[in-house]
Amino acid sequence: MKKLRIMSVFGTRPEAIKMAPLVQELARREEICSICCVTAQHREMLDSVLQVFHIVPDWDLDIMTPRQTLSTITSKCLTGMDQAVEALSPDMILVHGDTSTTFAGALSAFYHKVPVGHVEAGLRTYDKYSPYPEEMNRKLVTSLADLFFCPTEQNRDNLAREGVTKGVYVTGNTVIDALRTTVREDFVFSTGILNQLDYAGKKVILVTCHRRENYGAPMTAIMTALRRLAEAHPDVEMVYPVHLSPVVQEAAKKYLGGRERIHLIDPLAADEMHNLMARCHLVMTDSGGLQEEAPALGKPVLVLRRETERPEAVKAGTVRLAGVEEQAIFQEGCRLLEDDAAYAAMAHAVNPYGDGSACRRIAQAVLHHFGRGDAPEAFHA
Ligand code: UD1
Ligand code: UDP
């Protein structure tokens, strides 16, 4: 029987980390020819992930430019995808999450009348501008997709409320599959400072902050709160791998640069990041992916945002919304650093986002769609 040509399209770091184990799973399936097309919306941060997971793309649109706008990303992806889809003739296109690459990839598939599978479907904040532009991207992709791979039952219910019930699978999040391959007790960091940190004697806080809706005043408030936290707690070592966005680079240098016990470092390779997270004391972040990974590793998370589309770990008690106001973030941080009981209450491993088998379920659902096998069983937290 002819192999199904399944094309995964991604372009940013988080999509790559979450699609990498799926690309590998699809490649293991005899019935599938796994094709990988990257937009390279991120260049260095994408290449780093490809290297960690040993993935060589079949097609690379190479679209990134410094300080790119939402319109240029979308239009360059769309134009570039025309050629890729024509040359590679996929039977299905898989996109991930909520980036501009995700939206343009799904739209291009529709223009070419190729069915779309949406990985990490059904996340919602119901606020058009937060996260921006991600909330709108995922809603638009819902309209374009044929198959919906929801990490959680709540994500499935979100889609059901919008009338989307066909082709919906609860699979768990593929990021948990990725974590299973990267975190090791005997991991040795290649980033020097990470081997030198005293993880037992100090409180290592892992920080990331990059979201567009936080640019400007919120980012200033977040970074000022982080600086105050480090200054007020001599037992804290803060590690912040700074996103390559020039806006973020400038803010991080301005508000956190040259400070004692605040380590601004280059973005980390995914395996380094995951192992740092496994060893740190606390995570403070506006990242989506970190909110899913840290709970699985038993690390409390303070989310540097007003809302989250990932309420499952908040409900489980390991993630708290700290907001984007300086004083509130500072106080939430102090509470976890100074109150052992408050810390202990949040520092337990939970797995609301997956059991490490999401990619197997997605591959099985894709085959089922084409009449080649049974539907997968659903993931239950
Ligand atoms: C993008 C996604 C966001 C996701 C984030 C993950 C959109 C609109 N945004 O935001 O959903 O959470 O990625 O990190 O899709 N840059 C480099 N090298 C790199 C990567 C970025 O130099 O490897 C710089 C470039 O100047 C680039 C800028 O960062 O123009 C911003 O990148 P962009 O993809 O537009 O936005 P992100 O904020 O990274
Ligand atoms: N990550 C990484 N190196 C870093 C920072 C983040 O590998 O220096 C990983 C992180 O572990 C997670 C993903 O990148 O898997 C999250 O990406 P990001 O925060 O850029 O985007 P978001 O998840 O917010 O869309």
Side-chain angles (χ1 to χ4, degrees):
M1 209 188 283
K2 188 175 159 282
K3 284 193 181 206
L4 293 168
R5 297 175 65 77
I6 308 300
M7 181 159 110
S8 303
V9 176
F10 52 92
T12 66
R13 171 174 64 196
E15 296 167 80
I17 292 172
K18 291 166 163 182
M19 287 299 266
L22 181 57
V23 169
Q24 292 170 337
E25 174 69 25
L26 294 170
R28 278 194 290 271
R29 301 286 177 135
E30 272 185 7
E31 311 92 319
I32 290 175
C33 169
S34 174
I35 305 166
C36 176
C37 170
V38 296
T39 65
Q41 175 180 333
H42 287 171
R43 187 68 274 171
E44 302 91 320
M45 284 159 52
L46 170 75
D47 291 344
S48 161
V49 181
L50 295 174
Q51 208 178 345
V52 168
F53 291 93
H54 311 291
I55 290 173
V56 180
D58 299 285
W59 202 275
D60 190 332
L61 305 185
D62 197 22
I63 67 147
M64 197 196 85
T65 50
R67 293 179 193 268
Q68 59 205 0
T69 65
L70 299 178
S71 310
T72 46
I73 306 171
T74 305
S75 52
K76 280 175 134 185
C77 282
L78 260 186
T79 320
M81 284 285 296
D82 275 345
Q83 235 187 324
V85 176
E86 271 156 33
L88 299 168
S89 319
D91 295 304
M92 174 172 275
I93 286 179
L94 300 179
V95 294
H96 180 282
D98 53 20
T99 71
S100 296
T101 287
T102 315
F103 168 55
L107 184 58
S108 173
F110 168 69
Y111 285 164
H112 291 272
K113 297 193 176 163
V114 177
V116 179
H118 186 199
V119 182
E120 200 179 89
L123 280 69
R124 294 289 187 271
T125 61
Y126 304 103
D127 180 342
K128 187 174 171 181
Y129 289 109
S130 190
Y132 168 81
E134 292 82 5
E135 176 73 1
M136 187 52 70
N137 284 340
R138 48 198 176 215
K139 287 181 76 171
L140 294 167
V141 174
T142 296
S143 300
L144 295 163
D146 301 274
L147 294 184
F148 307 85
F149 306 114
C150 297
T152 70
E153 288 165 354
Q154 182 153 349
N155 303 147
R156 176 202 57 200
D157 295 345
N158 291 344
L159 291 183
R161 276 193 295 276
E162 294 170 20
V164 179
T165 51
K166 269 175 65 183
V168 178
Y169 298 88
V170 180
T171 61
N173 197 308
T174 58
V175 81
I176 306 299
D177 299 32
L179 267 188
R180 296 269 161 102
T181 67
T182 50
V183 176
R184 289 192 306 275
E185 258 177 44
D186 60 352
F187 187 85
V188 180
F189 295 101
S190 55
T191 308
I193 174 72
L194 303 183
N195 287 320
Q196 289 151 24
L197 287 172
D198 175 7
Y199 296 95
K202 299 277 187 179
K203 290 179 173 165
V204 175
I205 304 183
L206 170 58
V207 168
T208 77
C209 181
H210 72 86
R211 304 221 75 83
R212 265 173 214 262
E213 71 273 11
N214 278 341
Y215 283 6
M219 205 167 268
T220 304
I222 289 169
M223 291 186 182
T224 308
L226 293 169
R227 189 177 72 212
R228 284 176 58 200
L229 257 190
E231 280 166 1
H233 298 90
D235 57 343
V236 158
E237 297 279 347
M238 211 171 259
V239 183
Y240 179 0
V242 187
H243 190 289
L244 292 179
S245 158
V247 181
V248 180
Q249 291 269 331
E250 282 159 20
K253 276 192 198 111
K254 182 167 172 194
Y255 296 106
L256 299 169
R259 306 278 162 163
E260 233 183 296
R261 293 175 290 100
I262 299 182
H263 309 278
L264 299 183
I265 59 174
D266 289 338
L268 291 168
D271 52 350
E272 302 251 305
M273 182 63 171
H274 290 169
N275 283 282
L276 173 59
M277 212 182 306
R279 284 170 211 199
C280 76
H281 184 70
L282 167 66
V283 176
M284 296 181 72
T285 188
D286 67 358
S287 159
L290 265 76
Q291 289 179 59
E292 296 154 345
E293 294 163 341
L297 298 168
K299 303 302 174 178
V301 182
L302 292 178
V303 176
L304 308 171
R305 287 172 52 179
R306 288 199 179 86
E307 38 44 43
T308 180
E309 59 290 274
R310 295 167 169 90
E312 293 87 349
V314 177
K315 212 162 148 196
T318 66
V319 170
R320 278 173 72 89
L321 274 180
V324 293
E325 307 295 335
E326 180 190 324
Q327 188 59 17
I329 295 169
F330 178 70
Q331 279 170 350
E332 287 283 347
C334 288
R335 190 171 149 269
L336 285 185
L337 290 169
E338 294 163 17
D339 179 345
D340 289 347
Y343 179 83
M346 285 181 75
H348 53 92
V350 290
N351 277 313
Y353 299 113
D355 58 1
S357 294
C359 296
R360 176 182 57 74
R361 293 190 185 96
I362 293 169
Q364 203 175 322
V366 168
L367 288 169
H368 177 65
H369 174 80
F370 289 100
R372 302 194 189 182
D374 295 334
E377 84 294 358
F379 162 68
H380 294 291

